Amino acid sequence: TIQPMALPSNDSTAAVSEFLLICFPDFQSWQHWLSLPLSLLFLLARGANTTLLITIQLEALLYQPLYYLLSLLSLLDIVLCLTVIPKVLVIFWFDLRLISFPACFFQMFIMNSFLTMKSCTFMVMPYDCYLAICHPLPYPSIITNQFVATASVFIVVQNAFLTVPIPILTSLLHYCGKNVIENCICANLSVSRLSCDNFTLNRIYQFVAGWTLLGLDFILIFLSYTFILRAMLRFKAEGAAVKALSTCGSHFILILFFSTILLVLVLINVARKKVPMDILILLNVLHHLIPSALNPIVYGDRTKEIKQGIQKLLQRRR
């Protein structure tokens, strides 16, 4: 059983300087068994995304706006995995549960900002698909390298700017009591609940910022696919609808999976009193890992150009 660090008495206001991460407080014996599939998923995510980035970099046929967006998505997935999963595995393998304040709040920033960056990237992809299907003639003049560069800068700057107050507000709270985080990661509410201060502002800001950013993205995604579906139903040429579906299929699979996991996580958080804490913690970890592993695999399997590029890359290494 993990015990919290020795702390002053309840009357003391001495601040703590680090946290203890307690994964699965009720079932800690699971951790060694769980480390194997998590390790394999982590290696798969790292390897698949790195392979996709190298393939796009080396294959001239992939020097196109859509694949630059895929590169951004893979880069976000790699950073997100590296920020979250290694610490979880270190806890499982070596029981090293301590995490400093700066490391904890940095992890919190990466998790919040990169999640919304991925959502925003998914929002741009259906727009690309919509223009390719519904407006094929002006498409090359609209979706250019400059458009992708501008969109990428906007995605990173906007989401970083709007989510950075979350770890800042949490770091400004006074921590003078319990320092044990019942989670594998430095989730905002898991940390702020340990403070001696009222964290209502923190909670409200995360709720408003998160649902504004994610909600707007999902609304635009829904509108894009509504227009795409309406255009597909109007196609009269044989096979045109199938071709259009093939063009957007990879986008749709990834977005559906990303949004489904996020929705399940939200619903479980709402009903957290009826769901075991360990299930919620496990879903929090998997949400940062499984989509990162699936994104490059889905595109690599369903996109002919990427598949050919990976084959050439493997041939070069022989």
Side-chain angles (χ1 to χ4, degrees):
T1 303
I2 303 301
Q3 299 293 334
M5 295 175 62
L7 293 171
S9 64
N10 292 337
D11 296 331
S12 172
T13 58
V16 296
S17 59
E18 51 193 9
F19 296 116
L20 272 172
L21 292 167
I22 306 298
C23 292
F24 310 114
D26 297 325
F27 299 97
Q28 293 188 30
S29 59
W30 291 9
Q31 296 181 16
H32 293 295
W33 296 103
L34 189 58
S35 65
L36 179 60
L38 282 182
S39 302
L40 294 176
L41 279 173
F42 175 65
L43 292 174
L44 177 62
R46 281 287 313 279
N49 281 288
T50 302
T51 300
L52 182 60
L53 283 173
I54 295 174
T55 301
I56 293 174
Q57 177 67 29
L58 297 180
E59 183 56 53
L61 290 176
L62 301 179
Y63 291 174
Q64 299 178 35
L66 172 61
Y67 300 115
Y68 294 145
L69 284 174
L70 282 179
S71 298
L72 174 62
L73 187 62
S74 287
L75 191 59
L76 294 174
D77 281 331
I78 289 174
V79 175
L80 194 57
C81 277
L82 287 174
T83 306
V84 175
I85 304 304
K87 180 60 181 176
V88 175
L89 293 177
V90 165
I91 293 173
F92 287 177
W93 291 337
F94 307 111
D95 206 36
L96 298 177
R97 301 170 184 274
L98 281 176
I99 185 169
S100 66
F101 269 34
C104 185
F105 296 127
F106 176 74
Q107 186 189 72
M108 187 184 299
F109 168 72
I110 293 295
M111 290 190 298
N112 283 283
S113 61
F114 277 50
L115 175 66
T116 54
M117 287 179 196
K118 286 178 64 174
S119 172
C120 202
T121 305
F122 281 133
M123 180 267 292
V124 176
M125 288 180 173
Y127 176 67
D128 169 90
C129 188
Y130 163 73
L131 289 176
I133 292 175
C134 302
H135 304 283
L137 294 180
Y139 172 84
S141 62
I142 298 174
I143 305 298
T144 61
N145 290 344
Q146 182 179 357
F147 170 84
V148 173
T150 303
S152 300
V153 171
F154 174 78
I155 288 170
V156 172
V157 172
Q158 174 200 252
N159 290 284
F161 179 76
L162 292 178
T163 55
V164 74
I166 295 174
I168 290 177
L169 288 171
T170 309
S171 66
L172 293 176
L173 296 172
H174 185 209
Y175 298 91
C176 59
K178 185 180 177 183
N179 71 328
V180 177
I181 301 173
E182 294 186 349
N183 206 330
C184 296
I185 56 180
C186 286
N188 176 38
L189 295 182
S190 296
V191 177
S192 57
R193 285 192 184 98
L194 303 179
S195 73
C196 306
D197 301 331
N198 187 312
F199 59 94
T200 302
L201 176 61
N202 184 312
R203 184 166 51 190
I204 291 174
Y205 185 86
Q206 176 172 349
F207 179 83
V208 173
W211 282 110
T212 299
L213 293 170
L214 295 175
L216 181 60
D217 290 342
F218 284 127
I219 289 173
L220 294 175
I221 289 170
F222 176 78
L223 290 175
S224 295
Y225 277 110
T226 300
F227 288 128
I228 290 169
L229 181 61
R230 188 174 66 175
M232 288 172 55
L233 295 176
R234 291 178 178 176
F235 287 150
K236 296 181 180 180
E238 185 177 350
V242 175
K243 183 178 179 181
L245 184 62
S246 176
T247 302
C248 299
S250 300
H251 298 169
F252 184 74
I253 290 172
L254 297 183
I255 292 169
L256 183 64
F257 194 79
F258 176 81
S259 58
T260 300
I261 292 184
L262 189 61
L263 180 62
V264 170
L265 202 57
V266 169
L267 292 176
I268 289 180
N269 265 290
V270 171
R272 60 184 306 126
K273 293 182 179 179
K274 299 180 180 180
V275 178
M277 176 61 72
D278 292 323
I279 300 297
L280 182 59
I281 293 172
L282 179 61
L283 285 174
N284 261 301
V285 174
L286 293 179
H287 177 60
H288 293 91
L289 185 57
I290 293 180
S292 299
L294 285 181
N295 290 344
I297 294 175
V298 170
Y299 263 100
D301 180 65
R302 295 181 59 88
T303 307
K304 179 181 177 182
E305 292 81 4
I306 293 179
K307 190 181 295 185
Q308 291 175 345
I310 292 175
Q311 291 172 351
K312 289 182 182 179
L313 179 64
L314 295 175
Q315 291 172 357
R316 290 178 185 178
R317 292 180 175 270
R318 291 178 181 176

